[in-house]
Structure formats: structure tokens, C-alpha cells
Amino acid sequence: MFEPLGKAPISRDWFGLDIFESGVRFRRKGARLFLLEEVPSTNDFLLGRGPSALGRLCQWENWGWRAFDLAQLSPMEKLQRGTVVVARHQTAGRGRQGRSWVDCGGLHLSVVIPPHPAARQKGFSVWLGLMVVMALREEFNLDARLKWPNDIRVGERKLGGILLERVGHGECYLVAGMGLNIANKSDDFPSQLRSTATSIFLETGQKHKPGAIAGCIVRRVEDEFDRFAREGWLPWQASLSALDCLLGKQVNILSGGKSYEGRSLGIGPEGALLVENSAGETSHFYAGDVHLLPAGEGGQ
Ligand code: BTN
């Protein structure tokens, strides 16, 4: 066992490689999984930024994942389909809207999504969030819901979030990064997050290895992607309405440097958040930061 100075020993299988059952796209010959001990950000590692990191490269062979020895691995020189990066620790994780994502010991995962017309659709990032929510509900018995555009929530608390980054213009690759709290206990969160964050362990009392959760999420996205590409939003509209934690609520939304208030009418077929103001006018928001207003606030 390799033991860097001042750190806990690196266990060979903190991730749970044997239970990481991705779908076929990540089980093609040549698919690569990077299991890193610590990086500034898994998205950045995929995007070729930042320092090299200690970790294991795993490669899909006909019989399963082959894990190579621990080595110093360099950030990607170019994006390749079928690449997944998971880090045990992140030191400079990035969140949406320029925020940071604090490492509280959860799952930090980034995947490459190759150029595809479906991934360029406006609602793609909302759809990704919905896939995560549905996978967690069905496979881990969690009452997960979606907060537009792609926060994963249980009740009022945040369980995870997704950062989707486009690389280049037009026919471009995407990098989807997800942070998810898995085995965190309350004390693992910094005090300012303790009342707003939750984890799968806190909600269900069960501890899962990151590989089990990552596998079920990646599989879900892969299984449903072709249908999304063929049929668009329609097959998911009912699930989306049932799992949308803002629907019918008073919200405040910051978008394009302005603040708006109104009642959420739900998420439209292109992934826009529909908000009705007190004059009965409806606005469509494609980007922004939304907050629930306390009941009774904001009229209506
Ligand atoms: C958000 O809710 O603001 C999105 C958070 C996304 C965090 C993940 S963790 C893995 C990947 N690497 C990053 O630097 N960010 C994403």
C-alpha cells in the first residue's frame, strides 16, 4: 500500500471498481476511467488543466476493468469519448455560476459527452439532472427531486449538483461534472453547509461505495440518451413535473444580472423555467440562479 506523507493510506479500492457497472458506451474497448486521489477539479483534469495527479488508470478490456498501478497521471491532452474521471478529493471544485464546490468527502465525477445534436438541445442540462434524480430514486430509495436547472435535492437540502461545460463552438464536446454527497455525516460538512446539505447516508442510513452510485447514474444516462435524441422531452415531461421541487412555489430568480420574482409554472419542453409574475405575465428562463421564497413572501 502506497502512503503519501501526512495522508491516510490509499486503499486500493475506495471507489468499488468491481461494482462500477456503466452502460455499453463506457464499456467499449479503450474506455478509460481515471481514479484519482486528489485533483483541483475533475472537470479541469478532463479539460487538460491543472497539475498531474496520483491515481490509477483503469481501462476496459473484454473481461472487465483493468486497473494499472498507482502513478502520477497528467490531465487529458485531448477529450476522448468514453472517458470518466473520479477523484476522492477535490481541492478547487467548481460549481455553477462561478461558485466553488466544497469537497465534503462525496463523489466527484466528470464524463466526456461527445458531439451530438441531442446534447446541444437547450434542455440537455435539465434532462441530465432528471436522469440523476430518477436513478437515485429507483436504485437507492431516496426521495430525490430536481431543483431547476439541475440541483439534486432531498426536501429542502442539496444532495448534489451538475456543472456542464461546453468545449469549443458548434459541434462541440461537453464535459459533465457531478458532485454528490454519498456517505457524509453531518460533521463532514462545514458549519455553513450543515443546515442546507444532505447525503445519501443521512437520508437512508446506508453507505454505498462511489462506484455503485456512479455506475447507476452513468448507466441511466446512457440507457436513456438515444430515446432523448429520438423523442426529445415528451417521454419525461410527466416525471419532470412530478419531481420538480419548484413547481407552484414562489421563487426569486437571478438571471442576466437582474432579479425576478413570481410563481414557478414548471419547466418547459426546452428546459426553460417558466415563471409567472404578479401581473400574470410568464417569462422563460434558460439560465440563472433560483431560490425558493419563504411561504407567504412575494404576493400570490
Ligand atoms: C453546482 O451545483 O453548482 C454544481 C457542482 C458541480 C461539482 C462537480 S464535482 C465534479 C466536477 N468537478 C468540478 O470542479 N465540479 C464538478
Side-chain angles (χ1 to χ4, degrees):
M1 198 174 278
F2 183 92
E3 198 165 340
L5 283 179
K7 292 260 167 109
I10 295 174
S11 75
R12 202 183 137 77
D13 198 24
W14 57 270
F15 177 70
L17 189 58
D18 53 334
I19 45 176
F20 176 63
E21 287 178 23
S22 61
V24 286
R25 287 183 171 95
F26 289 97
R27 278 192 273 137
R28 277 198 193 122
K29 200 161 167 43
R32 292 181 311 164
L33 166 65
F34 288 79
L35 297 179
L36 307 177
E37 283 302 312
E38 183 176 291
V39 274
S41 149
T42 51
N43 269 30
D44 284 345
F45 190 87
L46 265 186
L47 291 164
R49 303 183 197 134
S52 62
L54 186 66
R56 278 180 213 286
L57 170 62
C58 308
Q59 210 153 276
W60 182 261
E61 309 281 352
N62 293 329
W63 44 267
W65 289 104
R66 172 203 292 264
F68 291 87
D69 287 343
L70 269 179
Q72 250 344 98
L73 302 169
S74 302
M76 306 290 85
E77 271 169 22
K78 68 182 183 38
L79 289 175
Q80 271 177 21
R81 64 183 64 220
T83 307
V84 183
V85 176
V86 181
R88 203 172 181 188
H89 299 293
Q90 276 193 150
T91 52
R94 296 186 289 107
R96 290 182 53 250
Q97 307 279 328
R99 283 189 294 261
S100 56
W101 180 262
V102 182
D103 178 352
C104 307
L107 172 68
H108 315 106
L109 169 143
S110 297
V111 296
V112 176
I113 300 175
H116 193 288
R120 287 206 307 274
Q121 285 190 28
K122 276 195 175 126
F124 183 66
S125 76
V126 180
W127 180 82
L128 267 187
L130 183 65
M131 292 307 100
V132 176
V133 163
M134 290 173 75
L136 293 175
R137 291 181 74 85
E138 287 165 27
E139 301 204 32
F140 298 98
N141 204 18
L142 268 163
D143 187 16
R145 284 164 197 273
L146 187 76
K147 175 172 171 271
W148 181 91
N150 52 27
D151 268 11
I152 294 107
R153 300 223 148 198
V154 177
E156 305 279 290
R157 290 168 186 256
K158 182 155 169 165
L159 185 71
I162 298 172
L163 175 66
L164 196 61
E165 299 189 281
R166 288 176 200 276
V167 186
H169 300 284
E171 280 286 296
C172 60
Y173 277 86
L174 295 178
V175 167
M178 188 183 66
L180 195 72
N181 302 324
I182 299 182
N184 321 55
K185 298 183 285 305
S186 204
D187 291 354
D188 296 332
F189 294 112
S191 54
Q192 69 273 21
L193 294 181
R194 231 163 266 166
S195 59
T196 54
T198 190
S199 70
I200 297 181
F201 172 69
L202 287 171
E203 296 298 329
T204 63
Q206 298 196 327
K207 285 202 172 172
H208 300 279
K209 281 202 169 182
I213 314 274
C216 102
I217 290 171
V218 170
R219 208 164 53 234
R220 184 70 182 225
V221 172
E222 289 192 67
D223 286 352
E224 310 263 11
F225 185 84
D226 291 339
R227 187 163 186 214
F228 180 67
R230 270 195 324 269
E231 300 175 39
W233 262 107
L234 206 60
W236 289 279
Q237 198 63 53
S239 311
L240 183 64
S241 303
L243 301 175
D244 172 0
C245 65
L246 298 177
L247 184 65
K249 305 262 171 66
Q250 283 297 126
V251 296
N252 172 271
I253 172 158
L254 280 170
S255 182
K258 288 191 183 157
S259 166
Y260 304 82
E261 258 181 45
R263 188 169 65 96
S264 168
L265 301 181
I267 300 168
E270 288 193 314
L273 180 70
L274 313 181
V275 178
E276 183 186 55
N277 69 13
S278 51
E281 296 151 347
T282 302
S283 303
H284 292 52
F285 295 95
Y286 289 97
D289 217 9
V290 65
H291 296 282
L292 270 173
L293 291 171
E297 206 174 296
Q300 298 197 19

